[in-house]
Structure formats: C-alpha cells, structure tokens
Amino acid sequence: MNENKTTIIPRSQHCISRKQIDTDTLKVLHRLHRHGYKGYLVGGSVRDLLLGRQPKDFDIGTDATPNQIRKLFRNSFLVGRRFRLAHIRFAGNKVIEVATFRRHPKEDELPDNPDDHFHFVQNVFGSPGEDAARRDFTINALFYNIADFSVIDYLGGVEDLSRKQLRMIGDPQIRFIEDPVRMLRAVEFSARLNFTIEADIYSAIKEHKELLATAAPARVREEIMELFRHKISGPVLKHCRELEMLPHLLAGYPGTDESIELLAKIDQRTATGTPIEESFAIAALYLRLFMDSCPPSPKTNFSTALHQANEIIVSHCRYFSIASGIRHQARELLIGCFRLARGRGFKAEKRFLQHPLTPNALELFTLWAKVRPEFAPRAENWSKAIHSSSIETNTPHQPRKRFRKKKPRKNSA
Ligand code: ATP
Ligand code: MG
C-alpha cells in the first residue's frame, strides 16, 4: 500500500465535532492518548459523521495491544476467540469496543494448515495504515484522531464520500475471494447511503457470486438481519436477485418478485418503529413460495400446509443453524397466514383467534394483502374478528357451571 497518498484533514476542514461523539467513547480515546497510545475513531462512525448521519456505534482503533488496553481500563475485559479485542464497560450495560490495529499477513507468514488461516489473518497486529488497507471499502477506512481532531484518509475515502461512490480497497476480484460476504456488503452500503457501485465491483460479483455459498452461514445470517434492521431488505435483496446472488445467499432459494415486494412493506413497518423479529423476516421471505406450494383453497387440507411450512422453514433454519424457538414461530406464522388466506368459518377458529401468534400472523397477512390486493377484504374481516375476540377475552371471567356426573351408588341394586 502506498502510504504517501495519505491525506490528513485538519479540524478546520471537516465537519466532525466532539459534541457529536458519545462522551464515554471520548473518555476512552482521551485516556489512550494520555498514556501515549493512538486513539482513533474508526470504521462506520467516521463515515457517518462526515455524511452528517448519526452513527450506529462508535468503534475505536489503537496501537495498544489487547493486554495493554486491559491494564489501562479497569472496566475492560478481552473478548473474541477469533478476533481478540477489548470491551470497555460503562453504566447501563453500555460497551465500547476497542481493537488493536491489524494488518494483512504476508503469504509466507501464514500457518501451514489452511484451516488456521482465517484466525491467523484476523490477529496480526499492524500500523494504522495497514489497518485501513485490510478494510472493505474506502469510505469505511477513515480514521478520526483524538490527538489533533483530524481525519486521516489513507485510501481516498473522503473523495469517494463526496462523489457518492462505493470503491473497494484493492482489487475486488481478490477481496471477494478472500471474503465473499463483501459482495453482499457492497450492495448493502450502496442502498444504505444511496451510493453508486464502481464497475469493477459489479464485474467481480458477476464472476464470484457462487462463492457466497461458501461463506460462513452465521455471517450471512447476521448481515441479512442487518438489512432488515436498517429497513433496506427490500431494495438490497431485489438488487441481489437482479445480480443473481440470491440463490447463493439463501441455500438455493432464488426468491420471487412478490416476496421482495413484501420485504419492502416490512421495511416500511420497521420504519414506523416496530422492531423486526427474525421469525417474521424468515416467514416473509418464504411466504410466496409457501402459498404456491399449498394454495389456500378449501381443497388444500391443513396437514398439507403444515407439511409444506415445515419443509420450507426447517431447511432454511438448518442451513443457518437457527434456534428451534425462532423456527417454531416462523412456521406458525406461515400456517397462520394459510388459515387467514383460506377465510373464516373453520372448526378451530375460536382457538385460532385467541392464539398468541395470530395477531402477528395477521400483521404479516395484512402486509401480504398490500402486495396481493385480492386478500385485502379478508385481512380486514379477520382484523375485526380478532379485535372483538380480544374484547370478549378481556371481559370479566364468568365461572362456568359445572355439571357433575352422578357417581353410580355402590350396591344400588
Ligand atoms: P454499521 O453502521 O452497520 O455499523 P460499519 O461500517 O460500522 O456500519 P460494521 O459491520 O460494523 O460496519 O463493521 C465495522 C468496520 O469493519 C467497517 O466499517 C469496515 O471497515 C470493517 N469491516 C467490516 N466487515 C468487513 C469485511 N467483511 N471485510 C473487511 N472489512 C470489514
Ligand atoms: Mg459498526
């Protein structure tokens, strides 16, 4: 990496003020600096502050080793088996993450066993410039230096921010082979920030999209949930579908236009402040596929729906190692939507109306009815039924009269 290109932007020439930085984060930065270490704000927070956005969290980079950080902060502890970093605890369960600058190791430094590479690569300490170079995009590799309040730009990230351009650090062909999840992150950041993706990223995605299937499912799962939390699951997965990435992300499932439309409705719901649950997100992803496999008509019996819901959800949850509680809820949501779509007047309706997951299923079904308006009257009708059923349930409980069967008297003859 050519460190001569490094630009230091003094305080007078950028917009980041200490007032915008969380006070506990500032305390940690200042303490590192007072003890002779580098204290930098790193990653997404610098990017967001420069864009005038509120950062989700503030991460710190330093040249102090994990053990030195541990000694410096009484309220700290070291975490991570793979990536050793320090967590510094503050009141109210608040945690600030401090990581030592890393670098990408040279080929001849790698351990003999390829299985050990990932762990090794994550844990070789380096200089701040080397740390910037191992990150994904230029806009994610900016540092804010507490020593003089300057922004350090090793790779041209500030210019890319102003051009609204997403540029990979290094050759995307190599960086995607190194870590395929970066392909999803490229699409994610372009949607989040409304940035243009550079042409070389697109061509590398075209070439290497299949590699997504080799990424650790736990990481893909986390990154997909990030899309839902950021309310961009609709546009990102739509773009991933256009780029033919989706089947490689979702264990072979190519998605459908309608399922993507439904995700956009879910993003709107999350934007109104309803937190997104993973079971809801999974059920939404597969609702269209499920409905196709067991059309909600009186001809389709309930056991077929149960079987189909199980097949679809179990295969997703097995691939992503998702806990049984979430799996159960996702399946119940699909089955609930099946019942709602079939209409009222079935045998166990009263019990269904009072089931704790039914309002959730109705929420999903109501969003689905926005994609498929022919279901809208049905959703409306169910909403009224659930409402009056809950009023009925909340009325004071009347003890039921019990009629005891008379026991036959002994020796009655
Ligand atoms: P957010 O607002 O979602 O937290 P972020 O940019 O902070 O955005 P994180 O996923 O929290 O994103 O990652 C923190 C930083 O770590 C990124 O800014 C980037 O520099 C680096 N990073 C994360 N994932 C990768 C990756 N797969 N490859 C290289 N660098 C990465
Ligand atoms: Mg972050």
Side-chain angles (χ1 to χ4, degrees), residues 15-53:
C15 63
I16 301 180
S17 143
R18 270 163 290 161
K19 288 198 199 92
Q20 297 165 290
I21 303 171
D22 162 72
T23 47
D24 292 324
T25 305
L26 279 176
K27 278 185 208 157
V28 175
L29 287 169
H30 282 303
R31 188 168 174 80
L32 284 165
H33 177 56
R34 271 202 314 275
H35 286 79
Y37 299 113
K38 290 190 163 64
Y40 291 0
L41 213 54
V42 299
S45 55
V46 186
R47 174 199 70 218
D48 287 345
L49 288 171
L50 286 172
L51 286 172
R53 292 167 169 249

mmCIF file of all heavy atoms in Angstrom, residues 15-53:
data_model
loop_
_atom_site.group_PDB
_atom_site.id
_atom_site.type_symbol
_atom_site.label_atom_id
_atom_site.label_comp_id
_atom_site.label_asym_id
_atom_site.label_seq_id
_atom_site.Cartn_x
_atom_site.Cartn_y
_atom_site.Cartn_z
ATOM 1 N N CYS A 15 -16.197 18.388 9.169
ATOM 2 C CA CYS A 15 -17.359 18.792 9.973
ATOM 3 C C CYS A 15 -17.500 18.033 11.285
ATOM 4 O O CYS A 15 -18.445 18.262 12.037
ATOM 5 C CB CYS A 15 -18.624 18.620 9.134
ATOM 6 S SG CYS A 15 -18.895 16.880 8.692
ATOM 7 N N ILE A 16 -16.569 17.111 11.596
ATOM 8 C CA ILE A 16 -16.795 16.300 12.803
ATOM 9 C C ILE A 16 -16.446 17.099 14.064
ATOM 10 O O ILE A 16 -15.308 17.549 14.236
ATOM 11 C CB ILE A 16 -15.966 14.988 12.773
ATOM 12 C CG1 ILE A 16 -16.337 14.165 11.542
ATOM 13 C CG2 ILE A 16 -16.182 14.192 14.055
ATOM 14 C CD1 ILE A 16 -15.592 12.859 11.404
ATOM 15 N N SER A 17 -17.466 17.231 14.926
ATOM 16 C CA SER A 17 -17.248 17.946 16.179
ATOM 17 C C SER A 17 -17.303 16.924 17.321
ATOM 18 O O SER A 17 -18.035 15.931 17.231
ATOM 19 C CB SER A 17 -18.347 18.998 16.329
ATOM 20 O OG SER A 17 -18.730 19.110 17.671
ATOM 21 N N ARG A 18 -16.557 17.186 18.401
ATOM 22 C CA ARG A 18 -16.568 16.252 19.526
ATOM 23 C C ARG A 18 -17.951 16.145 20.160
ATOM 24 O O ARG A 18 -18.281 15.154 20.774
ATOM 25 C CB ARG A 18 -15.533 16.674 20.575
ATOM 26 C CG ARG A 18 -14.176 16.050 20.314
ATOM 27 C CD ARG A 18 -13.107 16.766 21.066
ATOM 28 N NE ARG A 18 -12.907 18.095 20.500
ATOM 29 C CZ ARG A 18 -12.309 19.099 21.144
ATOM 30 N NH1 ARG A 18 -11.873 18.916 22.364
ATOM 31 N NH2 ARG A 18 -12.162 20.277 20.564
ATOM 32 N N LYS A 19 -18.749 17.188 19.967
ATOM 33 C CA LYS A 19 -20.117 17.164 20.527
ATOM 34 C C LYS A 19 -20.942 16.012 19.953
ATOM 35 O O LYS A 19 -21.879 15.530 20.557
ATOM 36 C CB LYS A 19 -20.835 18.481 20.208
ATOM 37 C CG LYS A 19 -20.323 19.652 20.991
ATOM 38 C CD LYS A 19 -21.344 20.791 20.953
ATOM 39 C CE LYS A 19 -20.704 22.105 21.312
ATOM 40 N NZ LYS A 19 -20.213 22.858 20.141
ATOM 41 N N GLN A 20 -20.572 15.592 18.732
ATOM 42 C CA GLN A 20 -21.354 14.516 18.083
ATOM 43 C C GLN A 20 -20.881 13.128 18.527
ATOM 44 O O GLN A 20 -21.489 12.132 18.172
ATOM 45 C CB GLN A 20 -21.178 14.590 16.561
ATOM 46 C CG GLN A 20 -21.690 15.864 15.945
ATOM 47 C CD GLN A 20 -21.142 16.001 14.536
ATOM 48 O OE1 GLN A 20 -19.948 16.241 14.327
ATOM 49 N NE2 GLN A 20 -22.009 15.816 13.564
ATOM 50 N N ILE A 21 -19.761 13.099 19.269
ATOM 51 C CA ILE A 21 -19.200 11.790 19.654
ATOM 52 C C ILE A 21 -19.654 11.471 21.063
ATOM 53 O O ILE A 21 -19.608 12.325 21.950
ATOM 54 C CB ILE A 21 -17.654 11.811 19.553
ATOM 55 C CG1 ILE A 21 -17.247 12.204 18.129
ATOM 56 C CG2 ILE A 21 -17.060 10.463 19.941
ATOM 57 C CD1 ILE A 21 -15.758 12.472 17.963
ATOM 58 N N ASP A 22 -20.066 10.254 21.248
ATOM 59 C CA ASP A 22 -20.539 9.773 22.534
ATOM 60 C C ASP A 22 -19.496 10.066 23.639
ATOM 61 O O ASP A 22 -18.296 9.854 23.434
ATOM 62 C CB ASP A 22 -20.768 8.266 22.346
ATOM 63 C CG ASP A 22 -20.852 7.532 23.634
ATOM 64 O OD1 ASP A 22 -21.859 7.686 24.312
ATOM 65 O OD2 ASP A 22 -19.873 6.813 23.961
ATOM 66 N N THR A 23 -19.940 10.530 24.810
ATOM 67 C CA THR A 23 -18.989 11.013 25.830
ATOM 68 C C THR A 23 -18.097 9.894 26.382
ATOM 69 O O THR A 23 -16.911 10.122 26.642
ATOM 70 C CB THR A 23 -19.710 11.696 27.009
ATOM 71 O OG1 THR A 23 -20.779 10.861 27.409
ATOM 72 C CG2 THR A 23 -20.234 13.067 26.647
ATOM 73 N N ASP A 24 -18.650 8.694 26.569
ATOM 74 C CA ASP A 24 -17.811 7.600 27.082
ATOM 75 C C ASP A 24 -16.742 7.211 26.048
ATOM 76 O O ASP A 24 -15.610 6.876 26.406
ATOM 77 C CB ASP A 24 -18.671 6.380 27.431
ATOM 78 C CG ASP A 24 -19.568 6.673 28.634
ATOM 79 O OD1 ASP A 24 -19.109 7.405 29.535
ATOM 80 O OD2 ASP A 24 -20.717 6.199 28.652
ATOM 81 N N THR A 25 -17.121 7.258 24.769
ATOM 82 C CA THR A 25 -16.143 6.960 23.711
ATOM 83 C C THR A 25 -15.013 7.995 23.770
ATOM 84 O O THR A 25 -13.829 7.639 23.662
ATOM 85 C CB THR A 25 -16.835 7.005 22.322
ATOM 86 O OG1 THR A 25 -17.941 6.115 22.352
ATOM 87 C CG2 THR A 25 -15.889 6.630 21.216
ATOM 88 N N LEU A 26 -15.388 9.252 23.970
ATOM 89 C CA LEU A 26 -14.368 10.307 24.069
ATOM 90 C C LEU A 26 -13.434 10.049 25.244
ATOM 91 O O LEU A 26 -12.214 10.218 25.138
ATOM 92 C CB LEU A 26 -15.036 11.677 24.248
ATOM 93 C CG LEU A 26 -15.558 12.360 22.983
ATOM 94 C CD1 LEU A 26 -16.268 13.643 23.332
ATOM 95 C CD2 LEU A 26 -14.419 12.633 21.993
ATOM 96 N N LYS A 27 -14.012 9.598 26.393
ATOM 97 C CA LYS A 27 -13.180 9.316 27.580
ATOM 98 C C LYS A 27 -12.141 8.256 27.248
ATOM 99 O O LYS A 27 -10.975 8.378 27.607
ATOM 100 C CB LYS A 27 -14.072 8.789 28.723
ATOM 101 C CG LYS A 27 -14.771 9.872 29.499
ATOM 102 C CD LYS A 27 -15.510 9.231 30.674
ATOM 103 C CE LYS A 27 -16.721 10.085 31.035
ATOM 104 N NZ LYS A 27 -17.763 9.359 31.725
ATOM 105 N N VAL A 28 -12.582 7.197 26.539
ATOM 106 C CA VAL A 28 -11.656 6.108 26.196
ATOM 107 C C VAL A 28 -10.570 6.634 25.252
ATOM 108 O O VAL A 28 -9.374 6.370 25.445
ATOM 109 C CB VAL A 28 -12.421 4.923 25.548
ATOM 110 C CG1 VAL A 28 -11.454 3.849 25.088
ATOM 111 C CG2 VAL A 28 -13.439 4.342 26.514
ATOM 112 N N LEU A 29 -10.965 7.408 24.249
ATOM 113 C CA LEU A 29 -9.994 7.949 23.289
ATOM 114 C C LEU A 29 -8.960 8.812 24.009
ATOM 115 O O LEU A 29 -7.749 8.670 23.804
ATOM 116 C CB LEU A 29 -10.722 8.788 22.224
ATOM 117 C CG LEU A 29 -11.545 8.026 21.180
ATOM 118 C CD1 LEU A 29 -12.408 8.979 20.367
ATOM 119 C CD2 LEU A 29 -10.634 7.226 20.237
ATOM 120 N N HIS A 30 -9.432 9.703 24.896
ATOM 121 C CA HIS A 30 -8.516 10.603 25.603
ATOM 122 C C HIS A 30 -7.575 9.826 26.515
ATOM 123 O O HIS A 30 -6.392 10.127 26.612
ATOM 124 C CB HIS A 30 -9.319 11.623 26.430
ATOM 125 C CG HIS A 30 -9.880 12.742 25.598
ATOM 126 N ND1 HIS A 30 -9.094 13.559 24.811
ATOM 127 C CD2 HIS A 30 -11.147 13.183 25.430
ATOM 128 C CE1 HIS A 30 -9.862 14.453 24.195
ATOM 129 N NE2 HIS A 30 -11.107 14.239 24.550
ATOM 130 N N ARG A 31 -8.096 8.802 27.177
ATOM 131 C CA ARG A 31 -7.242 8.040 28.100
ATOM 132 C C ARG A 31 -6.124 7.315 27.334
ATOM 133 O O ARG A 31 -4.984 7.279 27.777
ATOM 134 C CB ARG A 31 -8.108 7.054 28.896
ATOM 135 C CG ARG A 31 -7.354 6.356 30.011
ATOM 136 C CD ARG A 31 -8.285 5.615 30.951
ATOM 137 N NE ARG A 31 -7.520 4.845 31.922
ATOM 138 C CZ ARG A 31 -6.968 5.356 33.010
ATOM 139 N NH1 ARG A 31 -7.131 6.633 33.290
ATOM 140 N NH2 ARG A 31 -6.250 4.616 33.828
ATOM 141 N N LEU A 32 -6.495 6.751 26.182
ATOM 142 C CA LEU A 32 -5.473 6.082 25.356
ATOM 143 C C LEU A 32 -4.393 7.101 24.984
ATOM 144 O O LEU A 32 -3.192 6.847 25.126
ATOM 145 C CB LEU A 32 -6.103 5.512 24.076
ATOM 146 C CG LEU A 32 -6.922 4.228 24.222
ATOM 147 C CD1 LEU A 32 -7.770 3.979 22.975
ATOM 148 C CD2 LEU A 32 -6.006 3.019 24.465
ATOM 149 N N HIS A 33 -4.855 8.260 24.538
ATOM 150 C CA HIS A 33 -3.923 9.297 24.087
ATOM 151 C C HIS A 33 -3.023 9.780 25.230
ATOM 152 O O HIS A 33 -1.797 9.915 25.060
ATOM 153 C CB HIS A 33 -4.736 10.462 23.503
ATOM 154 C CG HIS A 33 -3.901 11.620 23.078
ATOM 155 N ND1 HIS A 33 -2.879 11.494 22.177
ATOM 156 C CD2 HIS A 33 -3.936 12.928 23.433
ATOM 157 C CE1 HIS A 33 -2.307 12.665 21.996
ATOM 158 N NE2 HIS A 33 -2.922 13.559 22.747
ATOM 159 N N ARG A 34 -3.608 9.998 26.408
ATOM 160 C CA ARG A 34 -2.817 10.473 27.563
ATOM 161 C C ARG A 34 -1.717 9.490 27.932
ATOM 162 O O ARG A 34 -0.686 9.847 28.470
ATOM 163 C CB ARG A 34 -3.741 10.664 28.780
ATOM 164 C CG ARG A 34 -4.358 12.052 28.872
ATOM 165 C CD ARG A 34 -4.790 12.360 30.306
ATOM 166 N NE ARG A 34 -5.519 11.266 30.927
ATOM 167 C CZ ARG A 34 -6.840 11.073 30.794
ATOM 168 N NH1 ARG A 34 -7.558 11.891 30.059
ATOM 169 N NH2 ARG A 34 -7.418 10.056 31.406
ATOM 170 N N HIS A 35 -1.974 8.193 27.679
ATOM 171 C CA HIS A 35 -0.979 7.184 28.036
ATOM 172 C C HIS A 35 -0.037 6.850 26.879
ATOM 173 O O HIS A 35 0.631 5.815 26.890
ATOM 174 C CB HIS A 35 -1.666 5.923 28.574
ATOM 175 C CG HIS A 35 -2.183 6.132 29.959
ATOM 176 N ND1 HIS A 35 -3.354 6.805 30.211
ATOM 177 C CD2 HIS A 35 -1.647 5.821 31.167
ATOM 178 C CE1 HIS A 35 -3.540 6.872 31.515
ATOM 179 N NE2 HIS A 35 -2.518 6.295 32.123
ATOM 180 N N GLY A 36 -0.034 7.686 25.875
ATOM 181 C CA GLY A 36 0.956 7.545 24.800
ATOM 182 C C GLY A 36 0.539 6.618 23.675
ATOM 183 O O GLY A 36 1.351 6.290 22.806
ATOM 184 N N TYR A 37 -0.707 6.175 23.681
ATOM 185 C CA TYR A 37 -1.168 5.310 22.591
ATOM 186 C C TYR A 37 -1.964 6.137 21.595
ATOM 187 O O TYR A 37 -2.444 7.230 21.910
ATOM 188 C CB TYR A 37 -2.065 4.196 23.132
ATOM 189 C CG TYR A 37 -1.379 3.285 24.107
ATOM 190 C CD1 TYR A 37 -1.756 3.251 25.448
ATOM 191 C CD2 TYR A 37 -0.339 2.449 23.692
ATOM 192 C CE1 TYR A 37 -1.128 2.412 26.351
ATOM 193 C CE2 TYR A 37 0.303 1.612 24.593
ATOM 194 C CZ TYR A 37 -0.094 1.593 25.919
ATOM 195 O OH TYR A 37 0.535 0.771 26.802
ATOM 196 N N LYS A 38 -2.144 5.558 20.411
ATOM 197 C CA LYS A 38 -3.013 6.210 19.433
ATOM 198 C C LYS A 38 -4.470 5.915 19.809
ATOM 199 O O LYS A 38 -4.798 4.785 20.181
ATOM 200 C CB LYS A 38 -2.732 5.675 18.024
ATOM 201 C CG LYS A 38 -1.381 6.131 17.487
ATOM 202 C CD LYS A 38 -1.247 5.791 16.013
ATOM 203 C CE LYS A 38 -0.117 6.580 15.368
ATOM 204 N NZ LYS A 38 1.231 6.253 15.903
ATOM 205 N N GLY A 39 -5.300 6.929 19.712
ATOM 206 C CA GLY A 39 -6.735 6.740 19.966
ATOM 207 C C GLY A 39 -7.501 7.246 18.761
ATOM 208 O O GLY A 39 -7.596 8.450 18.543
ATOM 209 N N TYR A 40 -7.997 6.328 17.934
ATOM 210 C CA TYR A 40 -8.704 6.714 16.698
ATOM 211 C C TYR A 40 -10.138 6.203 16.744
ATOM 212 O O TYR A 40 -10.391 5.069 17.163
ATOM 213 C CB TYR A 40 -8.046 6.076 15.462
ATOM 214 C CG TYR A 40 -6.676 6.589 15.076
ATOM 215 C CD1 TYR A 40 -6.027 7.592 15.784
ATOM 216 C CD2 TYR A 40 -6.027 6.038 13.964
ATOM 217 C CE1 TYR A 40 -4.766 8.040 15.398
ATOM 218 C CE2 TYR A 40 -4.768 6.480 13.572
ATOM 219 C CZ TYR A 40 -4.140 7.479 14.307
ATOM 220 O OH TYR A 40 -2.906 7.905 13.914
ATOM 221 N N LEU A 41 -11.036 7.038 16.252
ATOM 222 C CA LEU A 41 -12.372 6.550 15.938
ATOM 223 C C LEU A 41 -12.245 5.913 14.564
ATOM 224 O O LEU A 41 -11.601 6.501 13.677
ATOM 225 C CB LEU A 41 -13.296 7.771 15.862
ATOM 226 C CG LEU A 41 -14.742 7.650 16.288
ATOM 227 C CD1 LEU A 41 -14.837 7.101 17.689
ATOM 228 C CD2 LEU A 41 -15.388 9.029 16.223
ATOM 229 N N VAL A 42 -12.827 4.715 14.368
ATOM 230 C CA VAL A 42 -12.593 4.014 13.096
ATOM 231 C C VAL A 42 -13.899 3.543 12.456
ATOM 232 O O VAL A 42 -14.942 3.492 13.119
ATOM 233 C CB VAL A 42 -11.680 2.772 13.312
ATOM 234 C CG1 VAL A 42 -10.322 3.183 13.862
ATOM 235 C CG2 VAL A 42 -12.337 1.754 14.233
ATOM 236 N N GLY A 43 -13.786 3.185 11.202
ATOM 237 C CA GLY A 43 -14.882 2.488 10.517
ATOM 238 C C GLY A 43 -16.118 3.336 10.268
ATOM 239 O O GLY A 43 -16.033 4.523 9.955
ATOM 240 N N GLY A 44 -17.271 2.689 10.441
ATOM 241 C CA GLY A 44 -18.548 3.289 10.053
ATOM 242 C C GLY A 44 -18.867 4.613 10.725
ATOM 243 O O GLY A 44 -19.539 5.466 10.132
ATOM 244 N N SER A 45 -18.368 4.824 11.960
ATOM 245 C CA SER A 45 -18.759 6.056 12.670
ATOM 246 C C SER A 45 -18.157 7.292 11.997
ATOM 247 O O SER A 45 -18.829 8.324 11.889
ATOM 248 C CB SER A 45 -18.355 5.982 14.142
ATOM 249 O OG SER A 45 -16.990 5.716 14.265
ATOM 250 N N VAL A 46 -16.918 7.197 11.519
ATOM 251 C CA VAL A 46 -16.293 8.358 10.866
ATOM 252 C C VAL A 46 -17.027 8.651 9.551
ATOM 253 O O VAL A 46 -17.356 9.799 9.243
ATOM 254 C CB VAL A 46 -14.781 8.110 10.607
ATOM 255 C CG1 VAL A 46 -14.116 9.369 10.076
ATOM 256 C CG2 VAL A 46 -14.088 7.620 11.863
ATOM 257 N N ARG A 47 -17.301 7.584 8.819
ATOM 258 C CA ARG A 47 -18.058 7.725 7.562
ATOM 259 C C ARG A 47 -19.388 8.445 7.818
ATOM 260 O O ARG A 47 -19.703 9.434 7.160
ATOM 261 C CB ARG A 47 -18.316 6.309 7.005
ATOM 262 C CG ARG A 47 -19.208 6.243 5.790
ATOM 263 C CD ARG A 47 -19.763 4.821 5.619
ATOM 264 N NE ARG A 47 -20.742 4.476 6.653
ATOM 265 C CZ ARG A 47 -20.863 3.286 7.224
ATOM 266 N NH1 ARG A 47 -20.080 2.292 6.881
ATOM 267 N NH2 ARG A 47 -21.784 3.067 8.155
ATOM 268 N N ASP A 48 -20.132 7.943 8.825
ATOM 269 C CA ASP A 48 -21.465 8.506 9.074
ATOM 270 C C ASP A 48 -21.380 9.956 9.553
ATOM 271 O O ASP A 48 -22.175 10.795 9.140
ATOM 272 C CB ASP A 48 -22.224 7.638 10.088
ATOM 273 C CG ASP A 48 -22.677 6.311 9.469
ATOM 274 O OD1 ASP A 48 -22.662 6.205 8.230
ATOM 275 O OD2 ASP A 48 -23.034 5.385 10.220
ATOM 276 N N LEU A 49 -20.409 10.255 10.416
ATOM 277 C CA LEU A 49 -20.287 11.637 10.900
ATOM 278 C C LEU A 49 -19.958 12.589 9.744
ATOM 279 O O LEU A 49 -20.513 13.681 9.656
ATOM 280 C CB LEU A 49 -19.205 11.731 11.987
ATOM 281 C CG LEU A 49 -19.584 11.113 13.345
ATOM 282 C CD1 LEU A 49 -18.374 11.070 14.275
ATOM 283 C CD2 LEU A 49 -20.733 11.878 14.009
ATOM 284 N N LEU A 50 -19.085 12.140 8.848
ATOM 285 C CA LEU A 50 -18.739 13.002 7.706
ATOM 286 C C LEU A 50 -19.933 13.206 6.773
ATOM 287 O O LEU A 50 -20.043 14.220 6.100
ATOM 288 C CB LEU A 50 -17.554 12.419 6.929
ATOM 289 C CG LEU A 50 -16.192 12.555 7.617
ATOM 290 C CD1 LEU A 50 -15.125 11.767 6.860
ATOM 291 C CD2 LEU A 50 -15.767 14.015 7.737
ATOM 292 N N LEU A 51 -20.830 12.220 6.766
ATOM 293 C CA LEU A 51 -22.024 12.339 5.915
ATOM 294 C C LEU A 51 -23.165 13.068 6.630
ATOM 295 O O LEU A 51 -24.257 13.216 6.085
ATOM 296 C CB LEU A 51 -22.522 10.947 5.504
ATOM 297 C CG LEU A 51 -21.708 10.193 4.456
ATOM 298 C CD1 LEU A 51 -22.221 8.761 4.307
ATOM 299 C CD2 LEU A 51 -21.769 10.908 3.102
ATOM 300 N N GLY A 52 -22.894 13.464 7.890
ATOM 301 C CA GLY A 52 -23.943 14.145 8.659
ATOM 302 C C GLY A 52 -25.005 13.203 9.169
ATOM 303 O O GLY A 52 -26.125 13.599 9.451
ATOM 304 N N ARG A 53 -24.662 11.912 9.288
ATOM 305 C CA ARG A 53 -25.620 10.929 9.812
ATOM 306 C C ARG A 53 -25.257 10.555 11.236
ATOM 307 O O ARG A 53 -24.100 10.701 11.639
ATOM 308 C CB ARG A 53 -25.556 9.633 8.992
ATOM 309 C CG ARG A 53 -26.056 9.815 7.588
ATOM 310 C CD ARG A 53 -25.675 8.602 6.762
ATOM 311 N NE ARG A 53 -26.369 8.632 5.484
ATOM 312 C CZ ARG A 53 -27.326 7.784 5.131
ATOM 313 N NH1 ARG A 53 -27.693 6.808 5.925
ATOM 314 N NH2 ARG A 53 -27.914 7.885 3.959
#
